[in-house]
Amino acid sequence: MKKLILPFGASLLGYLLLSAGVFYSVLFQGLVPASPDSVSPMATSIALDALYQETGRYPLWQPWSFSGMPTVEAFTYLNGLYYPGVFLGVFQVSGLWLQLLHFVFAGLGGFVLLRYFKLHDIAAFLGGAAFMLTPYMVTMFIYGHGSQLMTAAYMPWVLWAGIRLLDSMHPSDMGVLALLAGFQLQRGHVQIAYYTWLLLFLLIVWKVATGSSAAKRFKKSAMIFVALCIAVVISASVYLPVFEYTPFSVRGSGSGGGAAYDYATMWSMHPREFITYFLPGAAGFGGITYWGKMPFTDYPNYAGFIVFCLAVTGLIAERRNGFVRFLAGGTVLMVFLAFGKYFSPVYDLFYHFVPFFSRFRVPSMALIVVSLTLALLAGFGLHAVMQEIKGKGLRLLKGGALLVALSALGFLFFETSFEGFIRSLFPIPRVESAELAQMVDQVRWNLWKSSFLGMVCFGGIFAALLWLRSKQVIGAVLTASFLTLIALVDLLMVDRQIVAPSTGSLQSSQLVSQRYLERAFAEDDVTAFLRADSDVFRVYPAGPLFAENKFSVFGIESTGGYHPAKLQVYDELLQVSKNLANIDVLQMLNVRYVVSMSPLDHPLLDVVHEGELRLARGPVRVMVYRLAGSMPRAWFVREGVSEKEVMDVYGKLLGGEIDVTTQALVEDAPWIGGRQFGEATVSSIEVLPEKISLSVQADQEAFLVLSEVFFPLRWKVMIDDHEQQVFKTNGLLRGVSVPAGEHRVVFSFDRRGFENGSRLAFAGFAVALLLAGTGLSGLKRRGGFK
């Protein structure tokens, strides 16, 4: 037992120290990530946390962004559905600490997986550390993609559990695999989980294909299948609602239920950018210095030069090892998938024929798998180096050393020509001045030069250590220790540039003090003014403020916001109206105030307040305009026009061809053409996040328009306890026919899908836990605990 516990404990300590080194400013200086991708969900989470505490029910609808949208169904606010997070929350471990624990968890997974193949402790430690420290993982933390980081942390663990089950065929290993795969799905980044399962599928094919008998192959396949089915059930509280929501989401409305091809392949990695795996500055280092083919890239896909060399070493030395071949095959497949539109035969095959694959964007996200496989191969490489180096290995070493020496000499004698050639490849920077463009080009060249010199330097050290090892000058452990040290230094140098960019890099740090962020989320002059209005209304954040989510913290409903999986029906209106830049649309959406950083000139807009709006990116001076003629949250119209005769609803709305105060364009209406309705009034309205109640009085049958987003899957309407049909009205809103008389009209959010999923998830968790427990009881019977 000590042989297992001591190396595991030492590795855990090492990973903790490495994490503390990378994120020193977060752990000990009170700094926190404050990128837009960090801050936007943070504001929404603050509001949802408060709502959860107030109501005692898990929030499924948030009305503060995009005039209202789902939470869980749109992969928002999943922390309370992630069982390990809930458990650790009892001990006050949440937020950034939870992410950092998963960072360490990722390293431990790599260590445990490599130790399963009986690699030396140092080699296994390097494999885990190389995966943990890959710039992808560090960037996900710094730039606010915690769900990606935590989901990716499960990748080596799922492979470990899968291969254990395939080898042992024991029910307890079924439970372990079900728990790990289920928790990964619960964490909510389905694309990374999908890639993990794809890699697991390749592993199963390899192991089952090499099985000893047909009976064993069938049993292995059946046990894996059952374990993964239980994992899916464990995640039902998330995915049951999500799958139902997909047809209504902007991400699931493309052909065949997937994202449109151009949108899905926007973040495809050009094949020439693969050079960044051993030259981190080859395509710039993010921001304005980046000159690759992907938008908004803030880090290089760097494996570490020593890690890359060790991975190649492992592939060559252990080429007859089935698991190494599996890792090599997985690497090649994922690289081609990451190429996306730049290598269409592979990507297109998956896009058109592999289930659910077309629903994902960012093909380059497959590179997180490449980071894992290269790290694991590097572990095998370091283990091989610890053995005797002779024969073919020695010849390869000499060839590699000669290449490093020639590269150094070539650069030394032809630096000017080399610089001219590299600079000729740089595209013209999209910046405001020629002086700044020159600075960008200089930074790009400096990145190229430092990366190249770093490669030569680390390559020379690598070759020297291997030569000393081949001559038996230094021992296996010392060689492995030195190689691990320089490999980690290499990765840490790149990671440091992500966490704390150096002066002159043209990159700014994404970290701010906790106090600064708290101040940014605190009430300010503008939010206090808006909050003082106790009526039911929305605001329209104009221009650069449109994606701001701060208003949600104070319960101020906004027509804007930020979320990648908004309702498709709302996104369509945003597209045709250029983010609602139309007075008639704003009036229809119950917008009372327009918040703008720039002066607005319109006869229906009057300045009612001017003050400071504090944001995470800094305070801004804004003007608050009151919009005249804004509609209430609910009103009655005199005429309903069937959309069968109105071919362009948004054209009519944006062109001002209908009067929304008296007319409504109704989709799937049970009448043809226009229909007249009677007079009616709304005497009272109560608006809650998941319930809207109205008291109405109608002289005869009337048509009620509610200025809320049409989402028939969940929002139902009852009139005096009798369910009625909700009509899509004016292309976006909800409408309902109300009979004559006094009535109670209640729109409520249907929670049944979520609640059914939650019950299934707990049942699946209980089954997996019982299966995993059979291993503990068996160990106890065998005398494992004494």
Side-chain angles (χ1 to χ4, degrees):
M1 186 65 73
K2 288 183 179 179
K3 291 182 178 180
L4 295 175
I5 293 177
L6 289 179
F8 185 86
S11 295
L12 173 59
L13 178 61
Y15 295 143
L16 287 170
L17 291 174
L18 286 172
S19 299
V22 175
F23 301 114
Y24 179 86
S25 54
V26 175
L27 291 171
F28 305 111
Q29 295 179 338
L31 300 186
V32 294
S35 71
D37 286 343
S38 296
V39 173
S40 293
M42 198 181 301
T44 304
S45 293
I46 292 172
L48 290 169
D49 285 341
L51 181 61
Y52 195 5
Q53 292 179 3
E54 178 186 344
T55 64
R57 298 206 308 173
Y58 205 82
L60 302 182
W61 182 265
Q62 60 98 354
W64 310 292
S65 300
F66 298 124
S67 302
M69 64 173 294
T71 57
V72 173
E73 292 171 307
F75 284 115
T76 301
Y77 201 64
L78 300 180
N79 291 341
L81 306 180
Y82 176 51
Y83 288 178
V86 173
F87 173 76
L88 291 172
V90 174
F91 304 96
Q92 304 301 311
V93 177
S94 60
L96 297 181
W97 283 97
L98 185 62
Q99 293 182 41
L100 290 175
L101 282 180
H102 281 76
F103 191 73
V104 175
F105 183 62
L108 283 173
F111 173 82
V112 169
L113 178 57
L114 291 176
R115 283 292 294 124
Y116 183 81
F117 288 95
K118 297 181 170 52
L119 268 64
H120 192 279
D121 293 336
I122 299 176
F125 176 81
L126 174 63
F131 176 55
M132 182 181 82
L133 295 177
T134 183
Y136 190 107
M137 299 288 277
V138 175
T139 302
M140 292 309 102
F141 178 84
I142 294 297
Y143 281 84
H145 298 282
S147 65
Q148 290 189 38
L149 165 63
M150 291 187 278
T151 305
Y154 279 93
M155 293 172 63
W157 287 102
V158 170
L159 291 180
W160 167 77
I163 204 164
R164 270 181 61 95
L165 175 56
L166 289 167
D167 287 343
S168 73
M169 294 189 291
H170 194 280
S172 64
D173 289 320
M174 287 178 61
V176 172
L177 175 59
L179 287 171
L180 289 169
F183 291 160
Q184 186 192 42
L185 287 173
Q186 278 187 345
R187 193 41 268 168
H189 201 283
V190 64
Q191 187 169 354
I192 289 179
Y194 188 96
Y195 290 143
T196 307
W197 284 42
L198 181 58
L199 200 61
L200 182 62
F201 175 77
L202 296 177
L203 178 67
I204 295 167
V205 170
W206 163 58
K207 291 292 288 184
V208 170
T210 56
S212 56
S213 67
K216 277 194 173 183
R217 288 198 293 269
F218 176 79
K219 186 176 180 181
K220 287 180 179 181
S221 302
M223 294 184 79
I224 283 280
F225 178 77
V226 172
L228 294 181
C229 285
I230 297 172
V232 171
V233 173
I234 291 173
S235 66
S237 57
V238 175
Y239 290 94
L240 189 61
V242 165
F243 277 121
E244 293 176 331
Y245 173 66
T246 296
F248 299 90
S249 168
V250 66
R251 284 192 170 180
S253 57
S255 176
Y261 187 86
D262 290 341
Y263 177 73
T265 58
M266 187 183 300
W267 273 270
S268 298
M269 186 184 80
H270 195 281
R272 74 181 179 210
E273 283 189 60
F274 192 78
I275 194 175
T276 59
Y277 266 93
F278 44 89
L279 283 177
F285 207 96
I288 61 174
T289 67
Y290 176 71
W291 54 283
K293 297 290 186 178
M294 294 180 287
F296 313 121
T297 298
D298 294 298
Y299 68 98
N301 289 296
Y302 184 57
F305 186 68
I306 299 297
V307 170
F308 193 87
C309 290
L310 286 172
V312 174
T313 302
L315 181 59
I316 295 172
E318 300 289 338
R319 58 190 177 277
R320 292 184 177 86
N321 184 309
F323 187 67
V324 168
R325 291 181 178 181
F326 155 73
L327 292 176
T331 303
V332 172
L333 174 63
M334 291 300 173
V335 167
F336 282 131
L337 290 181
F339 288 160
K341 62 186 178 183
Y342 297 114
F343 198 83
S344 297
V346 176
Y347 181 86
D348 286 1
L349 182 67
F350 276 75
Y351 183 86
H352 292 294
F353 298 107
V354 177
F356 305 115
F357 189 87
S358 63
R359 298 186 180 187
F360 303 128
R361 61 173 185 163
V362 194
S364 61
M365 199 174 290
L367 296 175
I368 185 60
V369 180
V370 178
S371 297
L372 173 63
T373 54
L374 288 178
L376 295 176
L377 284 170
F380 279 94
L382 185 58
H383 184 80
V385 166
M386 296 179 74
Q387 315 306 313
E388 187 177 3
I389 303 175
K390 60 182 181 179
K392 187 176 180 180
L394 195 57
R395 291 194 298 273
L396 288 172
L397 172 61
K398 291 179 179 178
L402 180 61
L403 181 62
V404 169
L406 290 175
S407 298
L409 289 173
F411 184 81
L412 179 65
F413 289 105
F414 303 103
E415 179 179 354
T416 303
S417 300
F418 185 66
E419 178 180 354
F421 171 73
I422 295 299
R423 284 181 179 272
S424 69
L425 301 176
F426 297 155
I428 299 174
R430 297 181 179 179
V431 294
E432 299 175 354
S433 66
E435 182 180 1
L436 181 56
Q438 188 175 6
M439 290 176 59
V440 171
D441 273 356
Q442 185 60 43
V443 170
R444 288 171 172 172
W445 164 245
N446 290 339
L447 288 167
W448 241 105
K449 181 178 178 180
S450 62
S451 296
F452 184 82
L453 293 177
M455 180 185 71
V456 170
C457 178
F458 284 117
I461 295 173
F462 180 77
L465 286 171
L466 263 61
W467 182 80
L468 291 172
R469 171 68 188 132
S470 70
K471 298 299 182 181
Q472 304 294 318
V473 176
I474 56 177
V477 172
L478 192 59
T479 302
S481 299
F482 276 130
L483 284 173
T484 298
L485 178 62
I486 61 171
L488 297 182
V489 168
D490 181 17
L491 284 168
L492 288 170
M493 288 171 60
V494 174
D495 290 339
R496 187 62 186 168
Q497 287 298 311
I498 297 170
V499 177
S502 61
T503 304
S505 67
L506 301 182
Q507 288 281 82
S508 59
S509 173
Q510 301 299 311
L511 300 177
V512 300
S513 70
Q514 178 69 42
R515 183 174 298 179
Y516 175 88
L517 203 57
E518 290 172 354
R519 179 175 168 79
F521 282 128
E523 188 171 68
D524 52 42
D525 186 41
V526 174
T527 51
F529 171 80
L530 295 171
R531 200 177 182 186
D533 190 333
S534 59
D535 203 356
V536 179
F537 67 90
R538 294 192 181 96
V539 299
Y540 172 61
L545 297 175
F546 187 77
E548 183 55 53
N549 278 356
K550 177 178 178 175
F551 300 106
S552 62
V553 177
F554 306 98
I556 301 167
E557 297 185 35
S558 172
T559 54
Y562 172 78
H563 199 284
K566 64 182 77 71
L567 281 155
Q568 172 66 15
V569 67
Y570 201 81
D571 188 67
E572 288 173 356
L573 179 60
L574 294 180
Q575 297 296 327
V576 299
S577 64
K578 298 180 180 178
N579 281 356
L580 311 180
N582 181 280
I583 290 293
D584 294 331
V585 171
L586 295 181
Q587 289 175 326
M588 182 184 76
L589 291 176
N590 186 219
V591 171
R592 179 170 295 178
Y593 299 105
V594 176
V595 184
S596 176
M597 295 168 57
S598 305
L600 301 176
D601 184 17
H602 194 281
L604 296 181
L605 294 174
D606 293 316
V607 177
V608 292
H609 186 76
E610 187 172 351
E612 184 180 83
L613 179 65
R614 286 199 300 268
L615 306 175
R617 63 177 183 266
V620 293
R621 197 74 181 171
V622 302
M623 288 164 283
V624 181
Y625 295 84
R626 182 164 183 131
L627 175 61
S630 177
M631 301 300 295
R633 186 57 57 93
W635 69 95
F636 284 95
V637 294
R638 296 300 306 275
E639 182 183 14
V641 180
S642 170
E643 195 181 344
K644 295 172 184 176
E645 293 192 1
V646 182
M647 301 305 295
D648 185 0
V649 174
Y650 290 135
K652 296 283 186 181
L653 288 172
L654 300 176
E657 297 180 35
I658 69 163
D659 181 359
V660 295
T661 64
T662 60
Q663 294 175 295
L665 304 175
V666 184
E667 186 174 317
D668 295 327
W671 63 84
I672 298 175
R675 179 181 175 184
Q676 297 300 310
F677 288 93
E679 292 279 357
T681 57
V682 177
S683 55
S684 68
I685 182 171
E686 181 185 21
V687 179
L688 300 174
E690 294 183 29
K691 184 178 180 180
I692 300 173
S693 303
L694 306 97
S695 296
V696 301
Q697 170 69 51
D699 295 337
Q700 52 185 303
E701 185 178 2
F703 194 83
L704 175 68
V705 178
L706 182 70
S707 186
E708 294 284 347
V709 180
F710 180 76
F711 184 33
L713 175 67
R714 297 290 177 228
W715 279 100
K716 312 299 182 183
V717 62
M718 304 283 285
I719 300 180
D720 299 333
D721 298 326
H722 298 287
E723 186 171 347
Q724 303 293 326
Q725 181 179 357
V726 180
F727 295 100
K728 185 178 180 183
T729 304
N730 293 346
L732 177 71
L733 307 181
R734 305 175 205 162
V736 61
S737 180
V738 178
E742 292 186 12
H743 301 284
R744 181 77 168 169
V745 182
V746 179
F747 291 84
S748 58
F749 192 89
D750 187 351
R751 300 176 59 90
R752 287 175 297 180
F754 170 77
E755 291 168 352
N756 290 338
S758 297
R759 286 190 285 267
L760 279 173
F762 188 78
F765 172 68
V767 170
L769 208 57
L770 287 172
L771 284 171
T774 61
L776 296 176
S777 61
L779 184 61
K780 188 173 182 179
R781 286 194 302 272
R782 294 191 298 270
F785 297 126
K786 292 183 178 179

